[in-house]
Amino acid sequence: MTSMLAAQGISRPTATAGRNIASPATPGPGRTSDQHRLSVLLEAIELRQSADDLSAVLQKLVELVTRGLGVSSVTLYLAAKEDGLLHALATSAQHHRDHILEFPVEFGDGLTGSVAASGRARIINHAENSSDAVQIPGTPVEPESVMAVPLMCAQGTTGVLLASSEGYEEFLATDLDWLKVFGCLASGIVHESALQAVTDAERQNLKDQLLHAEKMRVLGEMASGVFHDINNILGAVIGRAEMMQYKTSDEEFKKALAQMEKIALQGAATVKRLQEFAKSHQDQEPAPTTLSQVIEDSLEVTRHRWETQAQQKGIIYKIVRNSDGPRVVRGVHPQLVDAVANLILNALDAMPQGGTLKIETSGEASTCVLTVCDTGVGMSAEQIGKVFSPFFTTKGPRGTGLGLTVVRDIIKRLEGKIDLASQPGEGTTFRIEFPSVPADGAPAQVQAEPEQPCGLRLLLVDDDHTILDVVAEALQDAGHKVDVFDNGGDAVDAITRNTYDVVVTDLGMPDVTGWDVARAAKLHEPRLPVLVISGWGAQYGDDCLGDTGVDAMLAKPFHLQQLRENVERLAKASRTAPQAR
Ligand code: ADP
Ligand code: MG
């Protein structure tokens, strides 16, 4: 629409210039001098160093032009990506400012629009009589001359600088030349400020993300303490329930106890999954992993979303699994579960009204393929190009934009490939391709049948009495003699005085910890096996036990049978081991 700032009752500046009252183009007495114009250009150059934000820079630019030419008003328009229109972002007009700022101009319309569309500077003198100029709604029709130059960048026109002179004066070609020079300078300044604005926004985004990551870290630390306590509680419940089942002959009671044990075990499995999730797994070596197990585990960790929450919201997700046989890949199982779970969560997000989630495996001899397919909102080609970029999200503050970045990183490290196919409204399919390994590459899980040594002399130490009682009773029931301690100091003392077949110790105890007990045991008798039972156990792999003195770890909660087997296995191994000294 408008290109002209129609006469707006703007008072004429004292240094009116740059225009002719009459037609012959002679410099009038009010014309700003060349020297003045040059100094204004120099001022504009200095704006490049200013730390102002974009809108302040734009305002300074229009004021400089107003002063440089001595005109009534200057307005700066920038093209907006969102609607493709030219928006007035700064003006030096004193009157009708709101009308000017609120009125967007289409490319091609009036002087502003035609200069933007053609990229060519232009003057319209006596604009009130010209059909090329368009009146801004809400501004009065008065004698006025206008001229405009485009603001350009490498991609084309980014905006327009429009100068307006009230009254009967005319603009000269020299005025337009000066404005062109100013326009060139302003183009660069606007471009740099706009880039700066984007970087500022990105920096803020990054800051938010770091804050979020820090919050997650603290939450993770708090959570591991909570896992420890819950494991202890569940351990005591499971142990008691198990033992009472052996001791009672009341069938009804037995059934209730078995039910209780089952529920506590389910709780324990949930805690274990959370513990696994909290670990980074960065330092784990890839090992043969079956894709169907990865799929089952990732569906399990996301169950709350596609089952519990969906039911609460009255949404139905149909989950389809199609596995074409035991496909084995080299990977770190929990990392692969993370990756597939991320794809599942994105698929569910894309189907807010419900839909079908299909997870399939396929492939040939040398490759394994896993696809996650949804019937959700899908993506445009532009979106597809951005999904793996860090921080790209369409979910607002709810999204982090990091899910797919992490997924791609995991897959890349395993020498796999990930790509996707999607259409708006047609759903999305993510496809991961791995090099396959032979199914028999998986290490055989042969469980040696433990021979049952009986009547062992055991030392048991745990600062938690609920655990201590249950474990002691279970080991005694198995026919062993158990010395029980509730602190590490007394346990270490006993180790130096007595002879034990196995030391069973908790890890996290005040003052003297399980690590201290293990070291003391090995110092006293290098062949004395040490079994650690701990709520933290899931966070230490057997491979990181090194020379800690610990021979094996059992994570709480555990079955009492597991405990007995471990104790007896260690006792047997130490008896058959070659003498160290
Ligand atoms: P976040 O989920 O936090 O947004 P992601 O990296 O996981 O971050 O995903 C980035 C973006 O990719 C999402 O915001 C969404 O726009 C798009 N996306 C990912 N998966 C799907 C999908 N299955 N269907 C539609 N859009 C998706
Ligand atoms: Mg995501």
Side-chain angles (χ1 to χ4, degrees):
M1 290 278 291
T2 191
S3 62
M4 75 184 257
L5 284 180
Q8 294 154 20
I10 300 162
S11 58
R12 188 165 305 169
T14 38
T16 35
R19 318 166 291 282
N20 260 357
I21 308 276
S23 279
T26 47
R31 164 182 290 275
T32 51
S33 67
D34 288 345
Q35 201 182 352
H36 172 74
R37 292 186 178 193
L38 188 64
S39 75
V40 167
L41 284 179
L42 291 173
E43 268 188 66
I45 289 173
E46 275 165 21
L47 262 187
R48 299 183 63 159
Q49 262 88 54
S50 103
D52 289 334
D53 64 13
L54 182 62
S55 64
V57 167
L58 299 184
Q59 193 57 36
K60 281 191 178 157
L61 286 173
V62 295
E63 260 139 34
L64 280 176
V65 179
T66 313
R67 198 145 51 80
L69 289 171
V71 290
S72 321
S73 68
V74 174
T75 302
L76 193 150
Y77 289 85
L78 285 186
K81 265 200 197 120
E82 298 75 34
D83 56 10
L85 297 176
L86 293 154
H87 291 263
L89 296 184
T91 183
S92 62
Q94 303 291 318
H95 302 278
H96 309 290
R97 284 179 66 87
D98 292 349
H99 290 112
I100 296 165
L101 292 174
E102 279 166 14
F103 192 75
V105 178
E106 271 184 49
F107 271 65
D109 265 357
L111 176 63
T112 306
S114 71
V115 166
S118 66
R120 292 225 307 275
R122 199 178 152 201
I123 297 175
I124 302 180
N125 286 323
H126 310 294
E128 71 282 5
N129 302 323
S130 167
S131 56
D132 285 353
V134 180
Q135 187 75 26
I136 291 179
T139 60
V141 181
E142 280 178 291
E144 184 186 30
S145 291
V146 284
M147 64 174 173
V149 297
L151 300 178
M152 314 283 284
C153 73
Q155 284 75 38
T157 307
T158 54
V160 170
L161 203 51
L162 174 91
S164 156
S165 162
E166 261 174 52
Y168 295 99
E169 292 164 306
E170 292 176 359
F171 282 120
L172 301 177
T174 48
D175 299 326
L176 190 64
D177 286 344
W178 183 86
L179 192 59
K180 280 183 195 167
V181 174
F182 194 96
C184 278
L185 213 79
S187 299
I189 294 170
V190 168
H191 188 62
E192 278 171 27
S193 298
L195 277 184
Q196 186 60 36
V198 172
T199 340
D200 284 350
E202 275 173 358
R203 206 173 292 139
Q204 186 57 41
N205 194 354
L206 205 65
K207 239 163 126 184
D208 292 348
Q209 299 290 350
L210 286 175
L211 213 73
H212 183 71
E214 179 59 14
K215 251 194 215 163
M216 294 301 286
R217 193 187 60 75
V218 172
L219 206 66
E221 268 174 27
M222 279 162 56
S224 70
V226 173
F227 295 151
H228 175 257
D229 291 351
I230 296 178
N231 275 345
N232 271 355
I233 294 164
L234 289 174
V237 171
I238 292 167
R240 272 275 163 233
E242 220 173 280
M243 205 149 39
M244 282 158 77
Q245 282 176 73
Y246 289 119
K247 292 191 171 170
T248 182
S249 49
D250 181 336
E251 283 308 312
E252 195 78 2
F253 192 42
K254 237 185 203 163
K255 247 202 220 148
L257 286 167
Q259 186 66 15
M260 198 170 114
E261 187 190 348
K262 195 173 143 208
I263 293 166
L265 279 170
Q266 277 169 3
T270 304
V271 174
K272 186 147 189 250
R273 274 204 305 277
L274 286 171
Q275 268 177 314
E276 280 297 309
F277 183 75
K279 283 201 285 185
S280 79
H281 309 287
Q282 289 289 21
D283 43 6
Q284 275 183 32
E285 281 300 312
T289 306
T290 33
L291 284 186
S292 53
Q293 193 56 48
V294 170
I295 294 173
E296 283 317 307
D297 289 351
S298 27
L299 280 170
E300 206 45 50
V301 290
T302 53
R303 180 180 289 277
H304 67 287
R305 278 288 311 276
W306 53 263
E307 195 173 83
T308 324
Q309 269 183 28
Q311 276 167 4
Q312 281 164 2
K313 291 186 193 162
I315 304 171
I316 296 172
Y317 289 119
K318 188 171 168 211
I319 310 289
V320 181
R321 312 152 161 91
N322 280 335
S323 185
D324 70 336
R327 296 221 160 254
V328 181
V329 300
R330 276 188 77 73
V332 179
H333 184 82
Q335 280 185 357
L336 286 171
V337 172
D338 270 3
V340 176
N342 257 307
L343 297 181
I344 294 175
L345 291 177
N346 278 344
L348 298 175
D349 283 341
M351 302 187 287
Q353 314 299 333
T356 302
L357 171 75
K358 196 155 67 175
I359 311 184
E360 292 180 310
T361 60
S362 60
E364 286 144 27
S366 60
T367 53
C368 284
V369 175
L370 186 153
T371 51
V372 177
C373 173
D374 65 63
T375 54
V377 292
M379 285 181 254
S380 66
E382 195 193 347
Q383 241 179 308
I384 293 176
K386 292 184 189 161
V387 286
F388 292 111
S389 309
F391 306 129
F392 172 75
T393 179
T394 53
K395 298 174 192 169
R398 210 168 47 79
T400 62
L402 290 174
L404 290 177
T405 313
V406 172
V407 172
R408 190 176 56 175
D409 193 47
I410 291 173
I411 304 303
K412 233 163 90 182
R413 262 185 282 145
L414 302 177
E415 289 163 23
K417 282 188 279 189
I418 178 162
D419 54 32
L420 69 145
S422 185
Q423 293 263 341
E426 303 273 309
T428 302
T429 299
F430 276 90
R431 180 180 186 278
I432 307 177
E433 191 181 306
F434 305 93
S436 56
V437 295
D440 55 14
Q445 301 269 318
V446 189
Q447 201 81 53
E449 197 57 41
E451 202 186 295
Q452 308 279 329
C454 219
L456 298 172
R457 176 124 195 238
L458 308 175
L459 178 142
L460 172 66
V461 50
D462 195 322
D463 61 327
D464 186 332
H465 277 266
T466 41
I467 294 281
L468 200 61
D469 296 348
V470 173
V471 171
E473 210 173 319
L475 292 172
Q476 280 155 358
D477 282 359
H480 305 302
K481 180 172 180 332
V482 191
D483 289 353
V484 177
F485 300 92
D486 66 0
N487 69 82
D490 288 351
V492 170
D493 208 31
I495 287 170
T496 53
R497 280 187 286 104
N498 305 317
T499 309
Y500 293 104
D501 293 308
V502 180
V503 167
V504 181
T505 174
D506 179 31
L507 199 53
M509 294 183 291
D511 304 329
V512 180
T513 69
W515 299 118
D516 299 329
V517 172
R519 263 191 299 272
K522 283 292 190 290
L523 211 63
H524 174 68
E525 171 54 69
R527 282 158 50 99
L528 174 54
V530 177
L531 171 68
V532 161
I533 48 172
S534 170
W536 309 90
Q539 289 165 45
Y540 297 97
D542 276 353
D543 46 343
C544 52
L545 293 177
D547 54 1
T548 56
V550 176
D551 296 279
M553 279 214 162
L554 195 56
K556 292 176 197 167
F558 44 78
H559 284 290
L560 294 174
Q561 182 59 28
Q562 273 175 296
L563 173 74
R564 286 185 208 123
E565 278 173 15
N566 267 280
V567 166
E568 286 154 12
R569 176 176 61 80
L570 287 174
K572 196 170 154 225
S574 96
R575 276 180 197 167
T576 52
Q579 194 77 33
R581 358 171 217 167

